[in-house]
Amino acid sequence: MSRLLRDDGAVERTEHISRGVRDSFSAGLGIFPLGIALGLLIVQAGLPWWLAPALSLAAFAGSLELLLVGMLATVTPLAAVALTVLVVNFRHVFYAFSFPLHLVRHPVAKAYAVYAMIDEVYAVNAALPEHERSAPRLLAMQIACEAYWVGGGLVGVALGSVLPAPVKGLEFALCALFTVLTLDAFRSRKELPSLLLAGASAAVALVLTPGMAMFTALLLFVGLLLVRHLATAPDTAQEAAHA
C-alpha cells in the first residue's frame, strides 16, 4: 500500500511539473527574444560575452538587466546603480503579498522561488485557480522561464558577434510581453475595476513624477486597492452571511 501511495505521488508530481513547463510557454514567447535583446546589447556595448549569463544568473530580472548593461558600459557610479535597482525592482515587494510561497516547503526550493519570482511567473501563476497550484508546478515554471532567459542571452551573444550592424527594437519585447500578460490576467479574472485603477495610477504617475513613474504608480495602485477593499468589505461580509 505504501509503495502504491509513493508511486501515485510520483505520478502526480510529474504531472504538476509537466503543467508548470506548459504554463511557461506563453511567457517564454516573450522572455526568449528579450534574452536575445540582452545578449545583443551586451555585444554592441563592447562588454564581454560572459556578462550575459552572469547577469541572467546574478540578477534574474529582465528590465533591470537591460538597464544595467547601459550603466555598466558608461561606468555609472555605484550609488546610482543601487538607486536604480531599488526603484525598478520595488514592485517585487508587492508580489510577496499574494505569491504562493507557502506551497514550497523545502528551504532551498523556497529560496529559489523567492529568487526567481519574476513578473511573468507571478502573472501566469496569478491566473491559475487556487486548487491547481503546487510547489512542483511553480518551481518547474520558474526553472523553465530562467532557462528561456539564459538561453536567449547566449543566442543574442552569438548573433551579435556575427551580425554586421546593430539590431534595434528588440527591447520592445518587454513592453509587448507585459501587455499580453495583463490581457491574459484580465480575461481569466474579469477584474475591470482593478484594470481601471492600474491605468489611472500609471497615468497620474506619468504626469506627476515622470522620472519615477513606476515607483509612484505602484504606491498609488496599492493605496487605491486598499481603499477599494475597505469600501467593498462590508458588502462581501453581508453576502457571505446571507449565503
Side-chain angles (χ1 to χ4, degrees), residues 200-238:
S201 300
V204 171
L206 288 171
V207 173
L208 297 181
T209 57
M212 299 179 62
M214 182 182 295
F215 187 83
T216 304
L218 283 172
L219 291 178
L220 183 59
F221 184 49
V222 170
L224 292 174
L225 287 178
L226 288 175
V227 171
R228 180 192 171 199
H229 172 73
L230 293 175
T232 58
D235 297 335
T236 304
Q238 291 178 3

Side-chain angles (χ1 to χ4, degrees), residues 69-203:
V69 171
M71 301 181 83
L72 290 173
T74 57
V75 195
T76 304
L78 185 59
V81 174
L83 180 61
T84 301
V85 171
L86 174 64
V87 173
V88 173
N89 275 1
F90 186 76
R91 66 190 186 278
H92 288 215
V93 173
F94 301 102
Y95 292 171
F97 295 143
S98 55
F99 197 68
L101 284 176
H102 63 279
L103 298 174
V104 186
R105 304 290 185 180
H106 195 281
V108 177
K110 186 182 288 288
Y112 177 79
V114 172
Y115 152 77
M117 186 177 62
I118 59 174
D119 303 293
E120 295 81 4
V121 169
Y122 180 87
V124 173
N125 184 80
L128 295 176
E130 184 69 30
H131 66 276
E132 293 186 11
R133 299 175 182 174
S134 67
R137 186 169 185 172
L138 172 63
L139 293 170
M141 188 196 315
Q142 291 181 298
I143 292 172
C145 286
E146 186 166 15
Y148 302 146
W149 181 243
V150 176
L154 293 174
V155 171
V157 168
L159 289 176
S161 62
V162 298
L163 290 177
V167 178
K168 297 181 179 181
L170 280 176
E171 60 273 13
F172 183 73
L174 182 63
C175 179
L177 175 60
F178 286 170
T179 302
V180 171
L181 291 174
T182 301
L183 292 174
D184 284 345
F186 171 67
R187 283 199 298 265
S188 63
R189 294 300 183 93
K190 303 299 182 182
E191 276 284 339
L192 182 59
S194 296
L195 186 63
L196 294 176
L197 290 177
S201 300

Side-chain angles (χ1 to χ4, degrees), residues 19-89:
R19 290 179 181 177
V21 174
R22 289 198 298 269
D23 292 339
S24 72
F25 290 162
S26 58
L29 292 175
I31 294 175
F32 188 74
L34 190 61
I36 294 176
L38 173 67
L40 287 171
L41 287 175
I42 286 175
V43 173
Q44 293 171 10
L47 298 172
W49 70 268
W50 51 262
L51 196 61
L55 274 179
S56 298
L57 294 174
F60 183 29
S63 54
L64 174 62
E65 290 177 49
L66 292 172
L67 287 174
L68 286 178
V69 171
M71 301 181 83
L72 290 173
T74 57
V75 195
T76 304
L78 185 59
V81 174
L83 180 61
T84 301
V85 171
L86 174 64
V87 173
V88 173
N89 275 1

